[in-house]
Amino acid sequence: MSHRILIVEDEISISELIAINLTHAGYEVQQAFQTEEANLKMRESLPDMMILDWMLPGKSGVHYAKELRANERTAGIPILMLTAKSEEADKVQGLDAGADDYMTKPFSTKELVARVNALLRRHSRAPTNDDLMVLGALRLDPVTHRVTAEWPGSPRREIIVGPTEFRLLQFMMGAPERVHSRAQLLDQVWGNEVFIEERTVDVHIRRLRVALAVAKCDVYIETVRGVGYRSTRQPSAVSSDSDHL
Ligand code: CA
């Protein structure tokens, strides 16, 4: 069964170029020229991933990515963001909004297909273990892909995390107290992904912490200065003030 990719891009020529190349690569393609149309296309069933343009009429791609991430139904869709902006700050903003990867226009269609392949491979990899994982008040279920949290006096609640953050948390919860360098996390969570820089790990750690902070669980992810990150059962009382090494 081929993966279905939804392209959200208002420039018809670019959308067509992407659609032709992805169809050639064996993917099923859907096109939407603005976000409302994308929502309509996702009403019946969700795509396996989305290619989202930053500059769209009406709602921007960045704004839309945030909305998708905040919605339980669409939070797990991998997003590759396209933009004409090439500044590092823009890239971080795009990733912060919820994108899993990022490409600057003009791009090579060959590289685009390679990145789509890599992103889908990363997110369709079967979990190595289906056991429920527990870390303090946090619980991660690899089967239902849900993260929940509970603390005294409160009912258990679901924490919405993006697909990359889920994999990151799953990996870190699998080896509590162990410190992982950014290179190790890239290797384990992103796999053979040649395009991703180490800086990206920091962005996803920050996103993970923001998601966990809703349930006061961000303290379970600690920065080990100069070394990397770890998950811990005994968080220090103060929430980490920085995610930089
Ligand atoms: Ca555009």
Side-chain angles (χ1 to χ4, degrees):
M1 197 187 76
S2 72
H3 285 110
R4 187 149 44 92
I5 301 170
L6 176 58
I7 304 164
V8 187
E9 160 68 271
D10 61 308
E11 283 162 80
I12 294 170
S13 58
I14 295 178
S15 181
E16 284 297 323
L17 182 71
I18 298 170
I20 287 166
N21 279 278
L22 291 180
T23 305
H24 273 253
Y27 292 110
E28 194 184 320
V29 171
Q30 283 184 305
Q31 288 162 281
F33 299 97
Q34 38 140 311
T35 59
E36 272 145 50
E37 196 184 348
N39 285 335
L40 278 176
K41 302 236 160 165
M42 290 195 293
R43 206 178 265 176
E44 296 270 304
S45 67
L46 296 175
D48 296 296
M49 79 165 273
M50 182 184 290
I51 293 176
L52 177 61
D53 186 38
W54 181 311
M55 300 296 282
L56 291 167
K59 192 174 290 169
S60 79
V62 168
H63 190 142
Y64 189 53
K66 280 186 186 162
E67 274 185 14
L68 294 171
R69 285 294 175 252
N71 182 326
E72 197 183 315
R73 183 168 175 258
T74 53
I77 303 171
I79 299 172
L80 189 157
M81 190 165 273
L82 296 179
T83 177
K85 304 173 181 216
S86 61
E87 299 293 315
E88 174 73 11
D90 293 320
K91 178 173 179 171
V92 170
Q93 198 196 336
L95 291 169
D96 266 343
D100 296 281
D101 199 1
Y102 184 101
M103 280 192 86
T104 306
K105 292 176 185 174
F107 50 83
S108 109
T109 50
K110 223 177 197 175
E111 185 181 346
L112 178 87
V113 171
R115 281 177 183 254
V116 166
N117 291 341
L119 193 56
L120 282 167
R121 219 172 22 241
R122 217 152 83 206
H123 290 284
S124 55
R125 209 184 296 156
T128 47
N129 189 339
D130 281 351
D131 292 347
L132 193 70
M133 302 171 102
V134 178
L135 183 77
L138 266 183
R139 197 185 281 177
L140 181 147
D141 188 340
V143 177
T144 61
H145 245 253
R146 277 170 189 252
V147 179
T148 57
E150 182 180 49
W151 62 94
S154 293
R156 178 163 291 279
R157 69 166 83 171
E158 177 160 10
I159 298 174
I160 298 174
V161 298
T164 301
E165 289 72 53
F166 184 91
R167 293 182 52 76
L168 192 55
L169 181 62
Q170 184 176 19
F171 176 71
M172 292 180 81
M173 280 177 77
E177 317 303 332
R178 191 188 297 171
V179 183
H180 306 283
S181 68
R182 291 190 292 184
Q184 284 168 335
L185 289 171
L186 273 182
D187 194 42
Q188 294 296 323
V189 178
W190 279 261
N192 297 325
E193 174 57 88
V194 290
F195 311 106
I196 306 288
E197 307 150 29
E198 290 198 353
R199 173 81 187 81
T200 305
V201 175
D202 300 339
V203 173
H204 287 278
I205 287 276
R206 184 165 63 236
R207 252 156 68 176
L208 176 60
R209 281 184 172 143
V210 168
L212 296 179
V214 173
K216 299 177 187 140
C217 287
D218 50 321
V219 291
Y220 290 118
I221 305 296
E222 288 189 338
T223 301
V224 182
R225 213 160 281 278
V227 186
Y229 299 103
R230 75 169 161 220
S231 67
T232 180
R233 292 188 189 89
Q234 290 122 357
S236 33
V238 188
S239 180
S240 179
D241 59 346
S242 162
D243 51 12
H244 295 286
L245 298 181

